[in-house]
Amino acid sequence: MNTSDLLQKALKLEFLSMEEGMHLHYHANTAELMYTAHEIRKIKKAGTNDIVTWQIDRNVNTTNVCVANCKFCNFFVPPTEKFAHKAYITDDATYKAKAEETFALGGEQFLLQGGHHPELGVEFYEETFSKLKSWFPELRLHALGPPEIVHISGLSGLSYRQTLERLMAAGMDSMPGAGAEILDDRVRRIISNGKCSGEEWLEVMRVAHQLGLTTSATMMFGHIETIEERFDHLLRIRAVQAQRPEGANGFKAFIPWPYQDDGTLLNRVKGVRNTVTADEYVRTIAISRIMLPNIENIQASWLTVGPKVAQVCLHGGANDLGSIMIEENVVSAAGAPFRLSAEDIQQVIIEAGYTPRLRTQMYEFRPTPKALEGKILA
Ligand code: SF4
């Protein structure tokens, strides 16, 4: 196998095999990976290559009660007497205040997620989405994730299709690729044993794409997975994307981010640290762009790696910096220390040599919201 031949193959947007991807992982240098990924980005984002997109939304949690017990999660509380004083289900007044604040800051979307509550079935989420849409018809709901869909459909005795159809009818606009971690079940059994299997995660996404629901995909890496398991993850996501119906967005974006270890059970009990260096993150962004030529957008996770590393990624395959996240309670609970304002994120993009453009969840450019008039820097 020859590195240069494989990079040429990647530039033609051909699918590289697991062995070919792993060859690049072990033998290609960072500069050639970044160059190739950047060239692929130019093809995939033709006409908008001087632009890097960003978004304003707010992570709002429906509940922190969860039975999944993921060992990397400091956010949840189990549904037991001992933790009852810390458990919550978000109430109407809180939703209203958070939505009003989101609009006042120029946002238009809730990233609406929560724990696997043992008593909240599909009716609860239908009611929540319907209420939010009736109060704020403009509010976009980027909601739940495959593990929650598996959990809710199990509680409610419905198929994934029936569950998603009901939630979409109630106001779900799109679904994040949450809870993918690493899709291999050896890894999942160790780090998130109470969550759905890798195949269940993929099947929910297949059904979502058949229903025309736009989604994204993620990879949380740098913990106990092998390099082969990372590539298996990428290939399984690519295969589901290839099966999406004609005209469907499927996975609109791919977002890899390193495991955050601060205070997690995985770190405290098993001693598993975040092993991802800045160089490895930049290489992973480039490899993601190379291995996923059927996904249009690759997002660098400034929240977990910081703005400086994210800037480098914009020259190695990434074309998007994601959201400034007015509120985020899950990743930051495990140590992610970075925060950016609307002005900051635009400055980060400009410093990296690009024009920032505010976008929607569908990656369309958003007109400047009133709240940001005078604050758009380019
Ligand atoms: S990551 Fe999600 S599913 Fe896992 S324990 Fe935390 S809240 Fe529950």
Side-chain angles (χ1 to χ4, degrees):
M1 223 175 281
N2 173 296
T3 301
S4 143
D5 288 350
L6 293 180
L7 294 174
Q8 285 305 317
K9 183 174 173 181
L11 285 171
K12 288 187 240 155
L13 306 190
E14 290 180 25
F15 283 1
L16 268 56
S17 67
M18 161 99 80
E19 293 67 32
E20 290 171 332
M22 286 182 60
H23 177 94
L24 291 182
H25 175 90
Y26 286 113
H27 300 289
N29 63 47
T30 302
E32 56 196 355
L33 287 177
M34 286 181 70
Y35 169 80
T36 306
H38 191 65
E39 291 300 304
I40 297 171
R41 168 221 167 112
K42 286 197 217 160
I43 300 169
K44 297 295 292 180
K45 300 300 292 180
T48 57
N49 273 303
D50 56 332
I51 287 169
V52 166
T53 42
W54 64 287
Q55 190 186 21
I56 306 179
D57 69 0
R58 175 177 203 141
N59 189 338
V60 178
N61 301 113
T62 48
T63 175
N64 63 344
V65 175
C66 190
V67 292
N69 274 310
C70 301
K71 293 192 172 55
F72 53 84
C73 178
N74 294 338
F75 160 77
F76 80 102
V77 298
T80 56
E81 229 11 77
K82 188 173 160 205
F83 291 98
H85 63 293
K86 287 188 179 169
Y88 69 80
I89 294 174
T90 298
D91 60 29
D92 291 356
T94 305
Y95 279 129
K96 282 182 180 167
K98 289 189 174 189
E100 275 157 15
E101 192 184 32
T102 300
F103 283 115
L105 292 168
E108 55 157 13
Q109 175 168 280
F110 277 179
L111 169 55
L112 193 60
Q113 297 179 309
H116 294 24
H117 193 295
E119 286 159 19
L120 302 182
V122 72
E123 288 84 4
F124 168 82
Y125 293 94
E126 282 178 312
E127 197 187 314
T128 303
F129 295 177
S130 303
K131 272 191 303 200
L132 285 167
K133 287 286 187 172
S134 70
W135 297 328
F136 305 99
E138 310 286 293
L139 184 68
R140 314 304 294 170
L141 298 180
H142 188 44
L144 305 175
E148 285 165 287
I149 299 298
V150 172
H151 175 73
I152 294 166
S153 62
L155 275 184
S156 303
L158 299 170
S159 67
Y160 302 156
R161 176 175 292 269
Q162 290 167 324
T163 305
L164 285 168
E165 278 173 344
R166 285 177 60 168
L167 295 172
M168 288 166 72
M172 181 181 190
D173 292 300
S174 55
M175 181 163 65
E181 279 86 68
I182 290 287
L183 289 167
D184 187 278
D185 287 333
R186 179 198 75 82
V187 176
R188 300 180 82 75
R189 271 197 301 276
I190 297 169
I191 69 169
S192 52
N193 197 26
K195 237 174 197 169
C196 68
S197 70
E199 191 42 47
E200 287 169 329
W201 191 97
L202 292 163
E203 181 56 19
V204 170
M205 286 303 197
R206 268 188 213 103
V207 174
H209 298 170
Q210 285 159 11
L211 294 172
L213 191 67
T214 298
T215 70
S216 57
T218 59
M219 175 170 78
M220 185 189 77
F221 67 104
H223 38 89
I224 59 159
E225 82 286 358
T226 63
I227 299 302
E228 194 168 355
E229 285 161 346
R230 284 188 203 172
F231 278 91
D232 172 69
H233 183 97
L234 295 174
L235 263 59
R236 290 168 82 180
I237 282 171
R238 187 176 74 188
V240 168
Q241 179 71 342
Q243 293 163 357
R244 73 194 187 283
E246 184 84 26
N249 284 326
F251 297 123
K252 194 71 179 162
F254 181 72
I255 310 134
W257 52 280
Y259 152 64
Q260 302 296 291
D261 57 18
D262 197 16
T264 64
L265 211 58
L266 201 54
N267 182 10
R268 285 186 287 118
V269 177
K270 296 199 181 278
V272 180
R273 310 276 336 193
N274 167 10
T275 60
V276 180
T277 62
D279 181 65
E280 188 176 5
Y281 188 73
V282 172
R283 291 173 63 86
T284 304
I285 284 281
I287 290 217
S288 301
R289 181 58 94 183
I290 288 168
M291 296 303 290
L292 301 171
N294 58 354
I295 296 184
E296 182 190 338
N297 300 288
I298 302 290
Q299 185 184 123
S301 169
W302 65 265
L303 178 72
T304 53
V305 299
K308 293 287 173 209
V309 179
Q311 282 176 320
V312 179
C313 294
L314 298 178
H315 297 276
N319 63 291
D320 182 83
L321 280 194
S323 174
I324 59 167
M325 278 184 267
I326 296 167
E327 176 183 357
E328 201 290 321
N329 302 312
V330 180
V331 182
S332 40
F338 302 102
R339 284 281 168 275
L340 290 179
S341 68
E343 286 89 342
D344 293 340
I345 200 168
Q346 293 175 82
Q347 206 57 58
V348 165
I349 293 168
I350 291 167
E351 271 176 19
Y354 292 96
T355 303
R357 287 294 296 268
L358 186 63
R359 67 159 170 84
T360 68
Q361 193 55 44
M362 300 301 150
Y363 285 74
E364 287 155 352
F365 298 147
R366 247 188 94 190
T368 304
K370 223 176 173 34
L372 288 187
E373 276 170 12
K375 294 183 183 166
I376 293 294
L377 303 185

